Amino acid sequence: MAIGTPEHVATRLFGGSLRSIVYALLISGALVEVYPIFFLLMNTQKTDTEILNTPFALPTRLTLAGFKDVWTGDRTGMFFGRYFLNSLVVVVATLIFMLAVSCLCAYAMARGQFPGNAALHQTLLLTLAVPAHALAIPLYFFMGRLGLRNSLMGLTLVYTTLGAPFTIILMRAYFMRFPIELEDAARIDGCSRLGVFIRIVLPISRGSIAGMAIININWIWSELFFALILMNRLDMRTLPLAIAMYKPAQMTVETVLQLQYSAMAIATIPVLIMFFLFQQQIAQGMTAGAFK
Amino acid sequence: MKPSMSRRECLRYLVVGSAGVALAACQPQVVEKVVEKEKIVKETIVVEKAPKAVELRVGVIAGVVQEGMKALADRYMEQNPDSKISLDVLSSEQYQQAFLLFASDDAPDLSWFQCVPANRFNDMVAHKILVPIDDLYEQEGWFDAYPEGIVDFQRQPDSHFYSATIAVVWTPYVYYNKDIFSKVGIEPPQTWDDLWAMAAKLRDAGYQPLTTDYNMGVHSHLHDGMQLRSWTREQYNCMSILWRRDAPGECDKFKWTDPDSVRIYEYIQMMEDKQVFVDGITGLTDYNTARTLFTTGKAAMWQTGSWDGGAAGLPRDVEFELGYFYYPSIREEKTEKVGAWVPDGLIIPAKGKRIPEAMEFMAWAYRMPQAALYAQKAGIPHGRADIPAKVYQDILSPMQFQFLEDNIKYGTPALYEASSSQPYQEATVKSVDQMLAGGLSPQEAAAWLQQKLEEIRAS
Amino acid sequence: MARADPTEPRVGGGEGRAASARTWQTKLRDALPWYLFIAPAVILLAALFAYPLFDTLRLAFYKWGGLGRQEFVGLQNFRRLFADEIFWLALRNSFIFAIVVPFGTVSLGLFLAVAISRRLKGWQVYRIAFFIPVMISGVVVATLWANMYEYNSGLFNTVLRGIGVGGLAQNWLGDRKIALWSIMLVPVWQHMGFPMIVLLAAIEGIPQDLHDAATVDGVSEPQRVWYLILPLIRPVFASITMLQIIGAMKVFDLVLVMTKGGPAFSTEVLGYYVFETAFRSGHFGYGSAIAVVMFVVVFVIAYTYVKCVRIEKIEY
């Protein structure tokens, strides 16, 4: 059934000239997509003059000095090591929390017959159309009253709330297709509902859960708006906020831009690494998302 | 703030300062013992007893403020090792949100702040978010140490004080690359025609003339510079407080559509028309990118404030010879060149848990040796008038010291931004944007601002 | 698999009592564990989503600076809103965004998906190359492009000057006539890989026998694309377009990093205007009113879209 196997490729894909146009577009498009990233990484190795005067030249030497300065904040006053850690903590905590809360809720919605189930589903669907900006103002003051501003925990809770509806809806669809016979067998053996969920359903659903994690990692790692509103202490910043608020300390002329690019690279390189390691899963995860 | 004229008097504080040469013997005598009687000599030489042990969280912003406060904190902890002073670095880009932090239980014990309406300072005072420090003014002799203009500025409408100036900067300054100037054969301009001619020559020689950021640089500081040169003293005192419902009646007659106000916009537009600005200025919103054009020698001039002439600024960052000049005058009778920014200082949130200790630290931090230390670290002068010129000469960069001397000579009124509210400041800033990028004529831009002012007043 | 309608929740087969004999206590006891399951999610959503949302609606009728008393002003904020030229500009720009960007990403994504599904030479490379930017933080992309757009030393103008067409060099972000387009190019560049992947999966889900039937009938490639592939992926196409539209209406990061609404409000968008009004100027009541309007607009768009573009499942 595979479409892509060589035997199934049409021998003349497009008309001759159309084909070359298509190829030209594809190749130039791919270059356009990739080059800016390459440019970013290159600039972490060049001095400012080199960046401004010879943007296409390859760097003459490799140096980690820019990364070190930006990471430790020694001369720059911005501690990207710390911001990286903040982002990492928030992402991991949000994923754990969100997946836990969402799977529980989704499972209940898939299996449970209780008043409000359908209403809950409708409500969750509606929330997908709500722009987060409509929540921002009261949430800002509410989090302040709870003492959760400038706190990674607070940000985690906000992100969990923002990501939960989508995750719940998708996991619900998944759980409804889950073979119920396995659960029934466990219940007959006397397992409680929660037990069935934890011991039978979750382990088998690992793949889907991982897929949900992957769908969500991207936006959590890059989220800016709520980080901007809730965090105004410098050491509590997440990476996206730190990059948006990048204000270089006045340093030697030759390294100001280089440091900015190094900071951006710190936010990008882990993502690229993760991408190359988990290509397959990421593609699957993203796809599942749109097939609602 | 008292909406009176005296608040906006020229801050000729260093006239007093130069008389303070006699205070050159301002050496602190750190006493070993913990408890010692203070000997207060006539000229307010203070014998430093070791300060009380405190534990404080101090809010600062990144950069020279952090460096300065860190130096102070370190010295304090040296003098009293039982103390523990930590710095919370706050975001200066999010200053408009800072009022919530200070009103919350999470407030730092003490904080550096820019105490202006645009940062909701007046709102914080009105809602009693801050601790009044009138006692400190009394006890530390700040009424005498500071010039009258600064004292009046700091006095709030409820007649109390909530901050004291810790730093003074001025703007706008135009720094220039002496090497490029001599290569092209030009001199700093005396008149506006000189400036137009200069710009043309620089462009012919392949340089960009003047770089500044299309943010504070063009919208605020350049606007300030033209205000100083175009408005009468009365207009200058009135225009920035027109947003207030309690602005004095005699200010009502001034409008942005008056010729003197429109002229501000005309001059800015002329600078654009005569190609004085670097190309693509309306896209140059990043301060650092704009500055880099100057430091890498692409642009011959860079407009910003006095802080960049300090030890932590351009002198450290550039390899060519540095000079500065002021924009030419417009009205014959006006001699002021730059405006002064004096609202930077320490504040004490009322929700802080260690108010007496915070006050102790604040009192200590403003005393002579510490004031000098802060000024040195920040590379900019303190607000106190009684720091002798000799001391400044040692701790400030030559350029910064020169600024100081200039400003004694010319006098410096307080800047527009120090009294405008945030919406009013926003509107002023956008009015320049509407003209340069939005295609409005100077008259239309001024009218636009006038309309926004009326909306602000009505809301 | 013979199943009942999969959208109905299935009850586990453990109980087996006749429905009529179940008392409400039994029903409650049965439902209780489920309520505990949904409790964390519901509490969180109620506290951090529903409550702020309704409070925004409430606050829109007040005037408030963040400190002190909230002053009830009725419809004044909305009256002011409708007279506010900047609001209408923001609305207009948001609409332009919501039309242009999804059009770009989805149409280009479709083109790529078809090309890759037809296994043109180098398809593995294209699939990776076009998807990498999707993974990068919006802030990083925005900063990078802001640097590239810079007039004097940015990449684009340097290239143009370098190849001798310096006259084409633009003030990409400083010219009010093109700033919005310059900004819109960025998410198209970044996000076209997402529809690509999704549509690719949809295309690859088309059963092979349909393709074979078409080949037997002797269709040409363009015909195959137009008459076979497109109709069969319509539901996915519709849903991905809607996701892109809603996402485009919410643009914020780009504007904050690249232009802050300038020059001359030409890049002001709703999300950013809410932020500016509330968190910069301190007008929390007025900002809430703008947020309410933004919410209504997005909601209406999503609702009408879903109603008009019936996303029914395709049966093969």
Side-chain angles (χ1 to χ4, degrees):
Chain A
M1 189 162 145
I3 287 196
T5 53
E7 318 72 274
H8 291 282
V9 174
T11 47
R12 266 183 6 109
L13 284 170
F14 294 91
S17 57
L18 187 56
R19 180 188 198 142
S20 0
I21 293 177
V22 168
Y23 270 114
L25 287 174
L26 282 173
I27 293 173
S28 50
L31 281 175
V32 165
E33 289 288 296
V34 170
Y35 184 73
I37 300 162
F38 178 62
F39 181 64
L40 189 163
L41 293 173
M42 262 207 319
N43 283 344
T44 62
Q45 306 297 307
K46 297 160 86 167
T47 66
D48 282 16
T49 323
E50 287 171 1
I51 294 175
L52 294 179
N53 291 336
T54 56
F56 291 107
L58 290 174
T60 49
R61 63 204 146 11
L62 295 179
T63 165
L64 287 179
F67 287 104
K68 183 167 157 305
D69 279 340
V70 162
W71 185 272
T72 58
D74 279 341
R75 293 187 301 147
T76 60
M78 285 171 297
F79 305 88
F80 275 82
R82 177 69 202 250
Y83 308 143
F84 185 89
L85 207 63
N86 288 342
S87 274
L88 197 61
V89 166
V90 169
V91 166
V92 170
T94 304
L95 283 178
I96 293 175
F97 208 48
M98 182 173 68
L99 288 173
V101 167
S102 303
C103 288
L104 276 173
C105 188
Y107 181 70
M109 289 173 70
R111 291 282 177 257
Q113 236 185 11
F114 56 91
N117 193 345
L120 185 58
H121 187 226
Q122 284 302 316
T123 311
L124 288 176
L125 283 173
L126 290 178
T127 61
L128 292 181
V130 175
H133 305 94
L135 308 178
I137 296 170
L139 196 60
Y140 175 61
F141 289 102
F142 187 46
M143 297 298 279
R145 281 204 299 276
L146 294 175
L148 287 176
R149 276 196 8 247
N150 280 322
S151 126
L152 295 180
M153 188 58 193
L155 202 57
T156 302
L157 285 176
V158 172
Y159 287 167
T160 305
T161 312
L162 294 175
F166 191 60
T167 308
I168 293 175
I169 290 173
L170 289 187
M171 287 312 290
R172 172 183 176 279
Y174 168 80
F175 284 133
M176 292 206 304
R177 291 197 291 270
F178 190 87
I180 201 166
E181 301 79 37
L182 298 169
E183 298 171 52
D184 288 346
R187 292 222 73 216
I188 288 172
D189 287 343
C191 228
S192 73
R193 291 226 177 272
L194 188 62
V196 170
F197 179 64
I198 293 181
R199 288 202 213 103
I200 310 284
V201 179
L202 278 189
I204 301 179
S205 315
R206 268 203 317 267
S208 262
I209 295 179
M212 293 310 310
I214 286 173
I215 292 182
N216 282 299
I217 278 185
N218 208 16
W219 75 262
I220 302 175
W221 181 259
S222 340
E223 206 281 335
L224 177 64
F225 185 63
F226 284 98
L228 175 62
I229 293 177
L230 294 175
M231 310 303 226
N232 62 353
R233 275 180 55 169
L234 232 60
D235 56 353
M236 282 293 147
R237 282 181 168 172
T238 54
L239 266 184
L241 183 58
I243 292 173
M245 299 280 135
Y246 189 90
K247 191 167 74 173
Q250 315 296 37
M251 300 198 48
T252 61
V253 154
E254 282 308 301
T255 54
V256 172
L257 287 179
Q258 180 195 46
L259 293 176
Q260 186 174 30
Y261 281 106
S262 303
M264 296 199 288
I266 288 179
T268 308
I269 291 177
V271 165
L272 289 178
I273 294 177
M274 217 195 68
F275 173 70
F276 281 109
L277 289 179
F278 298 111
Q279 264 180 65
Q280 193 67 6
Q281 292 88 324
I282 290 176
Q284 274 174 350
M286 293 275 180
T287 318
F291 277 90
K292 69 170 178 109
Chain B
M1 262 159 291
K2 254 195 334 191
S4 71
M5 298 306 169
S6 64
R7 174 176 60 73
R8 307 278 297 184
E9 283 293 305
C10 290
L11 303 170
R12 299 179 192 276
Y13 61 95
L14 284 150
V15 171
V16 178
S18 52
V21 164
L23 296 172
C26 195
Q27 306 288 331
Q29 294 160 37
V30 178
V31 181
E32 303 295 351
K33 303 225 183 66
V34 170
V35 173
E36 186 74 29
K37 281 217 188 62
E38 278 183 321
K39 299 199 202 108
I40 300 182
V41 185
K42 254 193 294 192
E43 297 94 337
T44 70
I45 295 173
V46 173
V47 171
E48 290 261 339
K49 63 178 192 266
K52 287 195 232 144
V54 302
E55 198 184 309
L56 290 176
R57 257 172 63 217
V58 181
V60 297
I61 58 172
V64 290
V65 171
Q66 185 179 7
E67 283 179 45
M69 291 306 295
K70 183 160 187 318
L72 289 183
D74 288 343
R75 180 181 279 190
Y76 196 98
M77 291 192 282
E78 231 175 73
Q79 292 186 353
N80 188 324
D82 292 326
S83 304
K84 194 160 107 48
I85 301 174
S86 61
L87 300 184
D88 273 359
V89 187
L90 306 176
S91 167
S92 59
E93 297 88 349
Q94 295 162 283
Y95 250 173
Q96 285 85 18
Q97 297 161 239
F99 72 93
L100 254 198
L101 179 66
F102 295 135
S104 75
D105 294 317
D106 201 36
D109 302 307
L110 185 69
S111 184
W112 186 96
F113 198 61
Q114 293 182 322
C115 304
V116 288
N119 286 340
R120 317 291 300 278
F121 186 67
N122 53 342
D123 283 341
M124 287 202 281
V125 166
H127 288 97
K128 310 231 182 304
I129 308 283
L130 302 175
V131 173
I133 54 170
D134 304 24
D135 293 341
L136 285 183
Y137 270 76
E138 281 289 340
Q139 150 199 332
E140 297 291 314
W142 289 346
F143 287 114
D144 299 318
Y146 283 104
E148 195 188 331
I150 289 189
V151 171
D152 285 338
F153 181 84
Q154 295 284 4
R155 187 182 292 112
Q156 297 300 307
D158 61 1
S159 308
H160 295 292
F161 294 85
Y162 295 87
S163 178
T165 302
I166 203 172
V168 182
V169 295
W170 304 276
T171 199
Y173 276 90
V174 183
Y175 300 89
Y176 69 96
N177 184 328
K178 279 191 175 164
D179 297 351
I180 295 181
F181 267 44
S182 62
K183 203 172 354 156
V184 175
I186 49 180
E187 296 279 316
Q190 302 299 315
T191 68
W192 289 97
D193 288 330
D194 289 345
L195 185 60
W196 314 143
M198 235 174 81
K201 273 211 179 128
L202 281 166
R203 282 186 178 273
D204 287 338
Y207 296 100
Q208 300 278 350
L210 177 70
T211 173
T212 186
D213 61 298
Y214 192 67
N215 235 320
M216 298 282 286
V218 172
H219 301 155
S220 292
H221 300 168
L222 183 56
H223 201 273
D224 290 327
M226 299 303 109
Q227 291 168 7
L228 282 161
R229 288 156 174 76
S230 189
W231 282 335
T232 62
R233 175 59 51 79
E234 215 195 336
Q235 278 170 314
Y236 193 84
N237 288 342
C238 274
M239 296 299 288
S240 64
I241 54 170
L242 284 180
W243 59 278
R244 302 175 70 103
R245 298 244 178 84
D246 58 349
E250 55 264 27
C251 284
D252 283 341
K253 61 179 185 274
F254 296 122
K255 292 199 181 337
W256 283 97
T257 42
D258 298 334
D260 284 339
S261 300
V262 175
R263 187 163 48 184
I264 296 169
Y265 292 90
E266 285 169 356
Y267 270 79
I268 298 178
Q269 184 64 52
M270 263 200 282
M271 285 181 71
E272 162 83 346
D273 293 338
K274 306 276 186 187
Q275 301 194 303
V276 173
F277 291 134
V278 74
D279 293 331
I281 182 105
T282 53
L284 202 57
T285 50
D286 181 53
Y287 179 87
N288 208 72
T289 311
R291 187 174 182 271
T292 308
L293 285 175
F294 178 67
T295 55
T296 52
K298 292 196 177 16
M301 299 175 274
W302 156 240
Q303 177 219 289
T304 186
S306 64
W307 58 84
D308 221 3
L314 288 171
R316 187 186 61 175
D317 290 347
V318 301
E319 274 139 24
F320 47 79
E321 222 194 314
L322 208 54
Y324 73 92
F325 64 82
Y326 301 99
Y327 282 115
S329 347
I330 297 178
R331 297 176 84 111
E332 292 301 312
E333 67 274 23
K334 300 215 79 181
T335 54
E336 299 132 352
K337 308 284 188 187
V338 292
W341 175 264
V342 299
D344 296 348
L346 298 182
I347 56 168
I348 303 177
K351 282 221 172 164
K353 303 189 186 49
R354 308 186 187 101
I355 294 176
E357 287 151 304
M359 296 196 51
E360 166 89 12
F361 180 82
M362 189 164 167
W364 174 90
Y366 281 72
R367 288 185 197 138
M368 265 328 169
Q370 282 77 247
L373 174 63
Y374 186 85
Q376 182 178 18
K377 283 289 168 180
I380 47 187
H382 201 273
R384 295 180 69 128
D386 52 357
I387 297 180
K390 192 168 154 310
V391 171
Y392 271 139
Q393 213 161 13
D394 285 337
I395 61 179
L396 296 180
S397 75
M399 187 168 264
Q400 190 72 220
F401 186 71
Q402 190 59 46
F403 294 163
L404 205 54
E405 303 216 305
D406 286 354
N407 293 323
I408 299 173
K409 193 160 67 161
Y410 296 119
T412 54
L415 283 169
Y416 178 90
E417 293 88 326
S419 316
S420 54
S421 68
Q422 174 66 8
Y424 192 35
Q425 184 62 30
E426 268 298 302
T428 312
V429 159
K430 296 279 176 154
S431 67
V432 181
D433 183 31
Q434 290 282 63
M435 180 177 74
L436 289 178
L440 295 186
S441 74
Q443 288 80 2
E444 287 165 349
W448 186 90
L449 180 54
Q450 182 63 30
Q451 185 203 334
K452 288 282 168 236
L453 171 61
E454 266 139 38
E455 283 170 25
I456 290 171
R457 271 215 283 232
S459 71
Chain C
M1 285 186 286
R3 268 186 179 278
D5 177 2
T7 55
E8 282 302 314
R10 290 267 310 241
V11 183
E15 281 82 46
R17 285 173 219 230
S20 54
R22 294 171 68 163
T23 61
W24 65 265
Q25 288 115 319
T26 330
K27 280 205 188 122
L28 189 66
R29 204 183 70 209
D30 284 341
L32 191 59
W34 299 124
Y35 283 127
L36 291 176
F37 271 61
I38 69 171
V42 169
I43 292 175
L44 206 58
L45 285 169
L48 296 185
F49 201 105
Y51 164 63
L53 191 58
F54 287 111
D55 207 34
T56 299
L57 188 56
R58 180 193 68 88
L59 204 51
F61 297 100
Y62 285 79
K63 183 170 127 166
W64 193 38
L67 287 173
R69 213 172 53 86
Q70 296 179 352
E71 188 192 324
F72 183 76
V73 290
L75 290 175
Q76 192 191 71
N77 286 335
F78 291 98
R79 274 202 291 273
R80 183 168 151 201
L81 192 80
F82 291 123
D84 185 355
E85 57 182 2
I86 303 174
F87 166 74
W88 290 108
L89 262 174
L91 189 63
R92 184 196 78 131
N93 290 339
S94 288
F95 275 139
I96 295 179
F97 231 90
I99 295 172
V100 171
V101 170
F103 179 76
T105 55
V106 176
S107 56
L108 288 172
L110 180 63
F111 169 72
L112 294 170
V114 169
I116 293 174
S117 70
R118 307 313 292 150
R119 293 299 185 263
L120 292 181
K121 269 212 283 282
W123 61 273
Q124 299 98 320
V125 173
Y126 303 134
R127 199 172 60 171
I128 294 180
F130 285 97
F131 195 68
I132 288 183
V134 176
M135 304 289 298
I136 302 192
S137 288
V139 186
V140 171
V141 169
T143 314
L144 182 62
W145 277 76
N147 283 344
M148 296 200 299
Y149 275 139
E150 204 268 305
Y151 184 80
N152 285 292
S153 46
L155 198 60
F156 292 132
N157 286 349
T158 309
V159 169
L160 288 173
R161 293 187 191 114
I163 63 176
V165 282
L168 286 182
Q170 301 291 335
N171 194 352
W172 303 101
L173 294 178
D175 183 341
R176 78 173 188 277
K177 298 187 210 55
I178 60 177
L180 190 62
W181 294 92
S182 306
I183 291 190
M184 288 196 288
L185 183 59
V186 182
V188 171
W189 173 88
Q190 184 184 9
H191 290 297
M192 72 168 99
F194 182 65
M196 173 187 82
I197 289 282
V198 172
L199 293 170
L200 183 62
I203 294 176
E204 290 181 348
I206 298 176
Q208 186 53 35
D209 31 313
L210 289 177
H211 275 286
D212 292 340
T215 319
V216 163
D217 287 345
V219 300
S220 70
E221 270 314 297
Q223 282 177 325
R224 182 188 300 270
V225 171
W226 188 258
Y227 291 109
L228 180 67
I229 294 179
L230 283 187
L232 287 179
I233 61 172
R234 213 178 69 98
V236 177
F237 188 85
S239 76
I240 194 84
T241 307
M242 186 177 85
L243 282 180
Q244 295 286 306
I245 290 178
I246 292 185
M249 285 290 303
K250 302 197 240 177
V251 64
F252 175 80
D253 301 8
L254 282 172
V255 174
L256 176 71
V257 172
M258 295 177 93
T259 57
K260 297 192 176 34
F265 302 115
S266 57
T267 59
E268 190 80 40
V269 291
L270 282 177
Y272 192 72
Y273 195 39
V274 170
F275 171 74
E276 264 189 328
T277 318
F279 296 98
R280 287 286 174 263
S281 294
H283 294 139
F284 289 99
Y286 187 54
S288 295
I290 302 172
V292 166
V293 174
M294 182 181 175
F295 164 58
V296 168
V297 167
V298 173
F299 203 78
V300 165
I301 290 179
Y303 195 74
T304 40
Y305 191 92
V306 168
K307 284 296 176 199
C308 295
V309 181
R310 284 159 291 121
I311 308 178
E312 71 278 354
K313 267 190 115 51
I314 293 286
E315 297 299 325
Y316 290 128

